[in-house]
Amino acid sequence: MESDMAGTLYRKLILWGALAATVLAALLVDEGTELSVDDVVQPAVDISADRRTAGQTRQIRQTHETLPVDQLGKRKFSAKADDIFAVTSWEPKRTASTDFNPQIFQPRKEEVVRRPSAPPLQFEYLGRVVSEGKIRVFLAQADQNYVAGAGERIGTEYRIDRIREDTIELTYLPLGIRQTLTIDQGTFD
């Protein structure tokens, strides 16, 4: 235990020493020795040309620093490039034809509107119990078991409406669709 405390104390001393050295180094740095961007980055100059004077060299440096915008010229855009929010359709364009071909021109048939349907029942009937004149059934769905009677909900999606000898009538609540779970006569207690 003492070796753990000594190791922890040793690590703390090293960290505090490193922190003190960093603070001391930051205080000793001379603020006047900062370099500007011009000192660090300089444009490349061709030194091999002996004919150039100092004035020509300055002129070359100035041309590298500024961009001659007037020499770029103007860009020309087409009319299609201006409308960047144009509606695009993948349907072929329809052309007006003077010849009437009844095989080509047929009115669209009304699409069959499908009503939403409830998913198939995933319940398995396990048994029933009669208590105080009320029938309650035991149902299993995947890894969950439920005990419910008529008028009670199973989870948030189903409600038991009626329990009969051979069927259980349920309502799928999100769509209000009634479904029937059939019970094998051999398994009904």
Side-chain angles (χ1 to χ4, degrees):
M1 178 129 30
E2 288 181 22
S3 63
D4 290 339
M5 289 179 51
T8 305
L9 179 64
Y10 180 70
R11 280 188 235 130
K12 286 183 180 179
L13 285 175
I14 289 176
L15 289 175
W16 281 105
L19 178 63
T22 305
V23 170
L24 183 63
L27 291 174
L28 293 177
V29 172
D30 185 21
E31 293 180 11
T33 61
E34 292 183 16
L35 296 175
S36 66
V37 174
D38 295 334
D39 294 337
V40 176
V41 179
Q42 295 181 3
V45 178
D46 187 13
I47 302 175
S48 64
D50 295 333
R51 296 178 293 176
R52 293 194 179 139
T53 62
Q56 288 175 334
T57 306
R58 282 190 198 115
Q59 184 179 11
I60 290 172
R61 284 185 182 169
Q62 288 177 354
T63 58
H64 287 292
E65 292 174 4
T66 60
L67 180 64
V69 178
D70 56 332
Q71 295 177 4
L72 289 176
K74 294 184 178 181
R75 297 179 102 187
K76 295 180 182 178
F77 294 100
S78 68
K80 290 183 180 179
D82 291 339
D83 191 11
I84 60 173
F85 298 109
V87 176
T88 312
S89 174
W90 295 103
E91 290 184 21
K93 292 184 179 181
R94 296 183 183 197
T95 58
S97 177
T98 55
D99 299 330
F100 178 73
N101 187 347
Q103 292 177 347
I104 296 174
F105 181 75
Q106 292 181 359
R108 288 187 177 182
K109 294 180 180 178
E110 295 285 330
E111 291 185 16
V112 177
V113 178
R114 291 187 177 187
R115 292 185 177 180
S117 62
L121 287 174
Q122 299 293 322
F123 293 108
E124 180 182 350
Y125 174 77
L126 300 176
R128 72 174 182 155
V129 65
V130 179
S131 174
E132 299 176 5
K134 238 183 168 183
I135 300 174
R136 297 176 62 88
V137 291
F138 296 94
L139 300 174
Q141 181 182 25
D143 60 342
Q144 294 187 355
N145 295 325
Y146 300 101
V147 179
E152 295 180 15
R153 290 185 177 204
I154 301 176
T156 58
E157 296 184 340
Y158 288 97
R159 178 185 66 222
I160 295 180
D161 293 329
R162 188 183 307 176
I163 301 171
R164 294 187 176 181
E165 289 292 320
D166 57 345
T167 60
I168 300 173
E169 295 178 6
L170 298 115
T171 299
Y172 181 67
L173 296 173
L175 299 176
I177 297 174
R178 289 188 175 196
Q179 294 177 300
T180 303
L181 177 67
T182 56
I183 300 171
D184 292 336
Q185 291 294 333
T187 61
F188 199 9
D189 299 346

